[in-house]
Amino acid sequence: MHNVVISGTGLYTPANSISNDELVASFNAYVQQFNADNAEAIARGEVEGLSESSTGFIEKASGIKSRFVIDKAGILDPQRMVPRIPERSNEDWGILCEMAVGAAKEALERAGKTVADIDGVIVACSNLQRAYPAVAIEVQAALGIQGWGYDMNVACSSATFGIQAATTAIQTGQARAILMVNPEICTGHLNFRDRDSHFIFGDAATAVIIERADLATSKHQFDVVGTKLLTQFSNNIRNNFGFLNRAAEEGVGARDKLFVQEGRKVFKDVCPMVAELIAAHLAEHQLNVSDVKRFWLHQANLNMNLLIARKLLGRDAEPHEAPVILDTYANTSSAGSVIALHKNQDDLPSGSLGVLSSFGAGYSIGSVILRKR
């Protein structure tokens, strides 16, 4: 069994950002037009009038202040409120591939690796733009990697589950090094006309190089001390879009074909589950919560992260102990915890212990204990 390290991380950030003020202006313009168009039906009680959103509401509910997006104009157009992402020829690299390659190149550079050193590619994300061929095989081709690739989806936990899969493959000698990438265009499945969720998501891609410790040369190495996964079925976060939609015309375009959630139920269910899993994982390795210098948590909601950290530490976490990036990136699904790791790792001294954890639909929870070399 080989020892395994994470030796490099990478990040692709779209060029466009939308502030809360911009998003609210677009949403409220839509609400005002809807209420005006349906004024008589609303007065008769036949149609429910819509309520406006506000920057204060968004920041209090989520901690989000802005988000990066692949397309800004389509989202902010009150007549459209959907990103405009043109289809590409089958001969061109797809947009998820393009994002993944951008993040992968930085991860390879930080790891001090070339594509010749990589034996496998895992694309782990919430939403894949097609069923087949696998986006991972496309990324493999675009980078010129020999070996194999496959896609996996465990919603917001995809990155930690991807790290676990890569770690096992390397421990058992199936690969020397694996590129695990998380391209997320979350705005593609977000209902921008839903007041309760129109602000939640942004777009980004992350990449992680996982490799044999004895072959690693990077200055950015973390030993993978252990991984732990948990899933428990729940309908509280769901998206029913899929290939069978065309077989049931009555459901085409329905609200459940985009992201839907019962936010309060998710908060109540998931926070204690995450804290308990991380605590149990540390205990399995004879480690105390107080040994952990940094928690890189999934970036979905600031209040969730504050509560999880408080449950673990028995006190409020200091900003450096559980760094936040969702204020500028919003929820980027599987990419969020890796963005937090990517941007908040270089200051840690050798020997520092950290936990990378993601959680979301499924429910699914992943924990990866890391020790800086």
Side-chain angles (χ1 to χ4, degrees), residues 9-10 31 61 172 187 207 218 227 250 278 297 344:
T9 56
V31 167
T172 56
T187 56
S218 165
T227 61
E250 67 275 12
I278 293 174
L297 299 176
N344 298 275

Side-chain angles (χ1 to χ4, degrees), residues 87-104:
E87 288 194 357
R88 299 182 180 186
S89 163
N90 289 349
E91 307 307 313
D92 296 327
W93 300 126
I95 189 165
L96 288 188
C97 174
E98 182 180 287
M99 295 168 67
V101 166

Side-chain angles (χ1 to χ4, degrees), residues 10-61:
L11 171 64
Y12 170 88
T13 301
N16 303 304
S17 178
I18 297 177
S19 69
N20 284 347
D21 286 344
E22 291 175 302
L23 197 66
V24 166
S26 170
F27 180 82
N28 289 351
Y30 160 72
V31 167
Q32 291 161 13
Q33 188 62 54
F34 177 91
N35 288 345
D37 292 343
N38 296 277
E40 293 183 3
I42 291 172
R44 292 193 301 268
E46 298 171 356
V47 173
E48 185 176 352
L50 301 180
S51 299
E52 295 187 0
S53 185
S54 71
T55 294
F57 161 69
I58 292 173
E59 294 187 14
K60 182 179 180 181

Side-chain angles (χ1 to χ4, degrees), residues 73-95:
I75 292 170
L76 293 183
D77 180 354
Q79 304 302 315
R80 179 179 174 85
M81 300 179 82
V82 176
R84 189 183 302 277
I85 305 173
E87 288 194 357
R88 299 182 180 186
S89 163
N90 289 349
E91 307 307 313
D92 296 327
W93 300 126
I95 189 165

Side-chain angles (χ1 to χ4, degrees), residues 48-360:
E48 185 176 352
L50 301 180
S51 299
E52 295 187 0
S53 185
S54 71
T55 294
F57 161 69
I58 292 173
E59 294 187 14
K60 182 179 180 181
S62 67
I64 297 168
K65 298 180 180 178
S66 61
R67 70 283 298 144
F68 291 96
V69 299
I70 292 296
D71 176 68
K72 183 173 181 174
I75 292 170
L76 293 183
D77 180 354
Q79 304 302 315
R80 179 179 174 85
M81 300 179 82
V82 176
R84 189 183 302 277
I85 305 173
E87 288 194 357
R88 299 182 180 186
S89 163
N90 289 349
E91 307 307 313
D92 296 327
W93 300 126
I95 189 165
L96 288 188
C97 174
E98 182 180 287
M99 295 168 67
V101 166
K105 287 181 177 179
E106 183 178 15
L108 287 164
E109 181 180 358
R110 283 178 64 86
K113 296 295 177 182
T114 68
V115 295
D117 300 311
I118 307 299
D119 293 326
V121 178
I122 300 173
V123 166
C125 59
S126 286
N127 292 281
L128 295 157
Q129 67 188 98
R130 62 175 182 271
Y132 43 81
V135 175
I137 301 175
E138 184 183 11
V139 172
Q140 177 191 354
L143 287 168
I145 293 172
Q146 300 298 313
W148 47 264
Y150 64 83
D151 295 344
M152 62 183 296
N153 178 351
V154 201
C156 293
S157 295
S158 295
T160 48
F161 277 62
I163 290 171
Q164 191 277 337
T167 297
T168 299
I170 293 164
Q171 285 174 331
T172 56
Q174 295 175 2
R176 298 165 300 164
I178 292 175
L179 166 66
M180 193 280 302
V181 285
N182 322 105
E184 294 283 13
I185 304 182
C186 301
T187 56
H189 75 121
L190 179 57
N191 183 355
F192 284 97
R193 290 175 173 165
D194 176 24
R195 182 179 182 273
D196 291 335
S197 65
H198 75 109
F199 52 86
I200 290 179
F201 289 110
D203 304 327
T206 47
V208 180
I209 303 296
I210 305 105
E211 64 171 316
R212 277 172 44 178
D214 61 324
L215 300 178
T217 60
S218 165
K219 298 178 181 179
H220 310 285
Q221 294 181 48
F222 286 86
D223 287 308
V224 178
V225 177
T227 61
K228 189 176 181 68
L229 310 177
L230 175 70
T231 54
Q232 177 179 303
F233 186 75
S234 171
N235 280 316
N236 289 332
I237 311 172
R238 194 170 178 113
N239 183 335
N240 285 331
F241 183 78
F243 78 101
L244 288 178
N245 290 164
R246 65 189 291 265
E249 293 87 345
E250 67 275 12
V252 173
R255 183 174 179 270
D256 70 334
K257 303 309 182 291
L258 298 172
F259 166 84
V260 291
Q261 74 166 354
E262 297 286 344
R264 293 181 180 178
K265 292 180 180 178
V266 172
F267 188 97
K268 181 180 179 181
D269 291 347
V270 170
C271 290
M273 289 173 60
V274 174
E276 289 167 10
L277 181 94
I278 293 174
H281 192 198
L282 290 167
E284 289 172 5
H285 291 272
Q286 292 77 53
L287 298 169
N288 298 314
V289 173
S290 58
D291 297 327
V292 179
K293 301 303 180 185
R294 190 150 297 166
F295 294 93
W296 300 286
L297 299 176
H298 172 49
Q299 305 286 308
N301 181 287
L302 179 60
N303 297 315
M304 290 186 75
N305 285 15
L306 292 175
L307 180 56
I308 291 167
R310 189 180 305 123
K311 284 180 174 290
L312 284 164
L313 296 169
R315 58 172 173 79
D316 290 337
E318 298 293 331
H320 68 275
E321 292 178 302
V324 174
I325 58 88
L326 67 81
D327 54 339
T328 54
Y329 276 84
N331 183 346
T332 52
S333 193
S334 66
S337 59
V338 182
I339 298 174
L341 169 64
H342 179 73
K343 288 181 168 287
N344 298 275
Q345 60 171 278
D346 291 343
D347 62 314
L348 289 172
S350 177
S352 296
L353 201 68
V355 173
L356 178 75
S357 180
S358 56
F359 37 90

